[in-house]
Amino acid sequence: MAVSRTEAVVEAMCPYRLVLEHVTSRWGVLVLIELLDRPYRFSELRRAISGYGRDVSEKMLTQTLQTLERDGLVHRDAKPVIPPRVDYSLTDLGREAAEQVRGLALWTEKRMGAVQDAREAYDTRRGAAASS
């Protein structure tokens, strides 16, 4: 029996799942959303991401950019100047993915009240069950 693409995503070694993990990783989300606005140099991008209240190490940002570049989502443009200049931007594929990620981010912002209500209701139920 053939496995659907949706079912395949939940399989541990599925290539779809690996790309999904790259796009939705802690730093991947922020890199994609930030690069939607414009190309960035490495240090600018690191500062922009830190503006979200999260400090990303140089090593982790480098790994994230390399992973997204390998997946065809980010373009690395190294200019042969002194000092060296490298700009990062989204490819067409990356822009498409980033718009989807940004849509999910906007949805979470819009629906955070409902999530908070659900959490409180859950905690209340769990607290009542623990007291019994």
Side-chain angles (χ1 to χ4, degrees):
M1 183 167 143
V3 176
S4 75
R5 286 186 180 176
T6 304
E7 291 169 341
V9 170
V10 298
E11 293 177 12
M13 296 307 292
C14 170
Y16 307 119
R17 181 173 175 176
L18 293 175
V19 174
L20 185 61
E21 287 175 6
H22 298 161
V23 169
T24 61
S25 71
R26 178 179 187 182
W27 305 115
V29 166
L30 298 178
V31 165
L32 290 172
I33 289 173
E34 206 56 49
L35 288 176
L36 265 172
D37 292 335
R38 64 178 179 86
Y40 278 88
R41 293 179 73 176
F42 184 89
S43 57
E44 291 178 309
L45 184 58
R46 187 167 180 229
R47 279 192 302 273
I49 290 172
S50 295
Y52 291 100
R54 296 179 170 181
D55 281 334
V56 60
S57 69
E58 286 187 24
K59 180 181 177 183
M60 185 51 59
L61 183 55
T62 297
Q63 288 175 347
T64 300
L65 287 166
Q66 287 173 343
T67 298
L68 295 173
E69 181 182 7
R70 182 171 184 255
D71 288 344
L73 306 176
V74 168
H75 174 71
R76 181 180 186 271
D77 182 21
K79 304 207 185 320
V81 295
I82 298 179
R85 179 185 173 111
V86 179
D87 292 314
Y88 294 91
S89 61
L90 293 175
T91 63
D92 290 341
L93 188 62
R95 180 163 297 287
E96 185 179 343
E99 287 170 354
Q100 297 298 317
V101 169
R102 181 173 57 187
L104 181 58
L106 292 172
W107 175 84
T108 58
E109 182 180 347
K110 176 181 169 187
R111 301 301 290 160
M112 196 61 209
V115 171
Q116 288 291 77
D117 292 346
R119 287 177 176 174
E120 290 172 13
Y122 175 87
D123 292 345
T124 300
R125 287 191 311 274
R126 297 286 292 187
S131 316
S132 303

